Amino acid sequence: MYDYMIIGAGIIGLNIAKNLKERFPQSKILVIEKEPEVALHSSGRNSGVLHAGFYYTANSLKAKFTKEGNIALKNFCKQRNLKINECKKVVVAIDEEELLGLEELKRRGDINGVELIWLDEKELEKLYPNIKTYKKALLCPSTATVNPKEVTKEFAKVIEELGIQLILDCKYLGSYNNIVKTSQGDFEAKKVINCAGLYADKIARDFGFSKDYVIIPFKGIYLKDKNNISNLATNVYPVPDLKNPFLGVHYTLTVDNESKIGPTAIPAFWRENYQGFDNFSFSEFFEILFYEAKLFITNAFSFRKLAFSEIKKYNLNYFKNLAMKLTKNMNHEGYNSWSTPGIRAQLLNKNTLELVQDFVVESDENSVHVLNAVSPAFTSSIPFANWVVEEHILK
């Protein structure tokens, strides 16, 4: 009998395990992961950007945890000698309407306590000659990039150092009375914590949760310039549409000084729809197609426009041109290969047909279900895990 059993060894599951063990050193904790190693899905396939916390409204969990998480993950990387690129971020505008969007981001940043610096066009040109904006831009000094796979694997090392049992190649098959059936036998725990990412909603339903929600997958890929021929010196982002959770096509500078354009947010047709027909599932295909058809017919959150614009991004010139609105005289010849695809496990409210923007956790005395841990969940992982423990596991 375990005190706590965590399903999913992504960055959230690993941090919840770490937090519990540090609070209760005598507790018996098990983490199971269906893959042969950690970080094969969202935790290892995201951009690696440590966000600062100025996109989110002040009353949201994302606002609360992103700023704290940025500091905490930087400290973790420094303590464990992991690579970090403190390359900052610039958010630019292309017209008067987007200038209003910049003002809103600055207002949110001020409320959330995130440092943002106004730059006029001359100041921007002096710092970053290849970046262009309309009248003003926002510089965020605290944004950085890390290698997400390296960071997640390091958390896996940490939990094993703490004496937490991690079983790989251990697939969840079902549950009854807090006994979890897996491909490596049955395990019993006083409390089960579901951090299964793309499958969190399905597992939650076995415990009577996620009645109003379903996960809709969106595929994200980047165009890479492996040698940074473009001489990108910082992350460059457009003003996002704050009504949906995607940040638009932007430039990212990786920890290894590669530059990337992206990502896409293409609706996927099954949960691990990374390439071709890999991991194809008929049941997932029909369930997701049902909800995507519903979104298309009702045009909820302008889904039709989103779907058509995302599909166009498979055209390299179209994709590059979206990014080139943010830059000038930059050499784009190096952007010629696609990155490893990632899938965003985006929660959809089945009743309102809205994409849920904030983190969602459901729980009772027997189980806890992390249903919506989308970007910036990687950045927020340390304080978010602490909140899950305090508000859902220990209560």
Side-chain angles (χ1 to χ4, degrees):
M1 165 76 85
Y2 291 90
D3 295 299
Y4 304 103
M5 177 180 180
I6 295 162
I7 302 166
I11 198 162
I12 301 294
L14 293 170
N15 267 286
I16 288 172
K18 175 177 176 286
N19 191 295
L20 285 166
K21 192 67 172 177
E22 287 169 347
R23 287 171 187 262
F24 309 111
Q26 302 308 313
S27 61
K28 198 175 176 191
I29 301 173
L30 170 66
V31 181
I32 65 166
E33 167 57 46
K34 74 181 176 108
E35 301 294 356
E37 59 180 280
V38 303
L40 290 185
H41 297 287
S42 297
S43 294
R45 290 172 179 260
N46 64 75
S47 66
V49 174
L50 299 188
H51 293 283
F54 60 87
Y55 287 114
Y56 321 109
T57 53
N59 60 350
S60 66
L61 294 174
K62 285 185 178 182
K64 183 176 172 59
F65 302 135
T66 308
K67 183 191 171 190
E68 295 169 28
N70 176 294
I71 296 163
L73 259 186
K74 281 180 184 171
N75 288 339
F76 177 79
C77 290
K78 286 165 185 172
Q79 286 161 10
R80 305 287 294 196
N81 295 313
L82 304 181
K83 292 178 289 186
I84 183 165
N85 186 349
E86 303 209 43
C87 51
K88 307 177 183 177
K89 176 196 284 187
V90 174
V91 186
V92 300
I94 60 170
D95 55 28
E96 283 291 342
E97 187 182 347
E98 290 200 353
L99 210 52
L100 294 175
L102 277 186
E103 299 277 2
E104 174 60 18
L105 292 179
K106 180 68 166 76
R107 190 183 70 79
R108 291 183 181 190
D110 290 346
I111 293 168
N112 297 342
V114 177
E115 183 188 9
L116 292 171
I117 300 163
W118 281 117
L119 299 174
D120 62 27
E121 287 173 278
K122 284 185 180 175
E123 290 167 327
L124 178 66
E125 186 169 30
K126 192 174 178 183
L127 284 173
Y128 304 109
N130 286 339
I131 301 174
K132 69 179 176 187
T133 195
Y134 177 78
K135 293 185 180 177
K136 290 195 292 187
L138 280 174
L139 173 66
C140 179
S142 58
T143 302
T145 53
V146 296
N147 180 327
K149 190 163 274 198
E150 181 183 61
V151 171
T152 307
K153 286 184 171 181
E154 196 65 25
F155 277 115
K157 278 188 206 169
V158 169
I159 70 159
E160 293 193 292
E161 287 165 12
L162 289 169
I164 294 166
Q165 189 178 358
L166 171 62
I167 303 179
L168 301 171
D169 264 325
C170 186
K171 190 172 182 178
Y172 171 92
L173 300 175
S175 64
Y176 56 95
N177 299 329
N178 270 40
I179 295 170
V180 174
K181 296 166 67 69
T182 79
S183 57
Q184 294 203 34
D186 295 358
F187 300 98
E188 187 174 2
K190 292 173 186 171
K191 188 159 276 193
V192 176
I193 301 145
N194 165 18
C195 301
L198 280 160
Y199 290 92
D201 61 329
K202 295 189 85 169
I203 291 172
R205 278 180 219 126
D206 288 352
F207 290 82
F209 290 96
S210 193
K211 290 174 183 172
D212 297 327
Y213 301 113
V214 65
I215 282 172
I216 299 294
F218 287 84
K219 187 189 295 188
I221 45 178
Y222 287 84
L223 259 182
K224 285 198 302 186
D225 175 356
K226 290 179 184 174
N227 300 309
N228 197 14
I229 291 167
S230 61
N231 289 318
L232 185 72
T234 187
N235 300 298
V236 190
Y237 281 63
V239 176
D241 177 356
L242 296 172
K243 295 191 294 294
N244 76 46
F246 308 113
L247 296 180
V249 173
H250 52 264
Y251 293 86
T252 303
L253 189 63
T254 74
V255 76
D256 298 313
N257 208 44
E258 285 183 354
S259 51
K260 299 190 296 186
I261 290 172
T264 61
I266 298 162
F269 293 108
W270 57 95
R271 291 172 193 244
E272 293 177 8
N273 179 198
Y274 293 118
Q275 278 182 312
F277 281 89
D278 288 355
N279 310 305
F280 178 75
S281 162
F282 267 115
S283 60
E284 289 179 19
F285 176 75
F286 287 117
E287 180 189 44
I288 289 161
L289 197 63
F290 170 76
Y291 284 107
E292 287 182 353
K294 237 179 159 177
L295 294 174
F296 193 87
I297 291 161
T298 60
N299 201 28
F301 61 86
S302 302
F303 181 78
R304 274 180 235 154
K305 181 182 174 186
L306 174 71
F308 288 133
S309 66
E310 290 300 321
I311 288 162
K312 283 196 282 187
K313 288 176 185 173
Y314 279 120
N315 179 307
L316 288 189
N317 287 331
Y318 175 79
F319 200 30
K320 285 185 188 179
N321 286 336
L322 286 176
M324 286 163 70
K325 293 176 183 177
L326 317 177
T327 57
K328 57 187 177 185
N329 305 320
M330 188 183 270
N331 183 350
H332 284 76
E333 287 175 15
Y335 294 103
N336 56 18
S337 62
W338 292 107
S339 69
T340 303
I343 301 280
R344 180 190 184 101
Q346 176 63 56
L347 206 64
L348 175 76
N349 186 311
K350 293 191 284 189
N351 304 320
T352 63
L353 295 182
E354 290 174 306
L355 295 183
V356 182
Q357 298 236 32
D358 211 357
F359 301 136
V360 174
V361 180
E362 295 183 339
S363 62
D364 61 15
E365 65 276 10
N366 297 314
S367 65
V368 177
H369 305 272
V370 178
L371 294 177
N372 202 43
V374 288
S375 180
F378 183 87
T379 304
S380 304
S381 54
I382 294 173
F384 176 62
N386 186 62
W387 176 82
V388 172
V389 169
E390 290 188 346
E391 296 297 321
H392 290 275
I393 297 174
L394 301 184
K395 278 196 172 180

